[in-house]
Amino acid sequence: LSQKEFAIARILLGSPGAVLSKEQLISRAWALPSASDNNVEAYISFLRKKMAHVGSKAKIETIRSVGYRLTEGD
């Protein structure tokens, strides 16, 4: 994982089941508040692909207009 992917994964793992907004992820994972929603979406996509590649059962679920949460997969 890249440094940013690891930071986001750690935040999600630290709050299992909790819905975290893009703003919360930006404030916790980026040192500067200049990151945009698109940055979060891109890194979530990178994480999802890497999780699928290793066969992880955990999933990052999108809660529309709210944020993301880490869930136990099927």
Side-chain angles (χ1 to χ4, degrees):
L1 297 177
S2 72
Q3 193 172 19
K4 200 60 66 188
E5 291 166 342
F6 183 77
I8 293 171
R10 194 168 84 192
I11 293 164
L12 291 169
L13 285 167
S15 305
V19 178
L20 299 169
S21 70
K22 291 178 184 177
E23 292 77 21
Q24 288 173 308
L25 291 171
I26 289 169
S27 70
R28 294 181 190 181
W30 275 264
L32 301 173
S34 60
S36 71
D37 289 356
N38 291 339
N39 294 111
V40 175
E41 292 169 9
Y43 280 101
I44 291 291
S45 175
F46 299 154
L47 270 174
R48 284 177 172 153
K49 288 177 185 175
K50 290 180 180 180
M51 290 168 67
H53 180 73
V54 298
S56 174
K57 292 186 181 195
K59 303 290 180 204
I60 300 173
E61 183 179 31
T62 300
I63 309 301
R64 192 174 181 146
S65 299
V66 180
Y68 301 96
R69 74 174 161 199
L70 188 66
T71 61
E72 191 175 321
D74 303 334

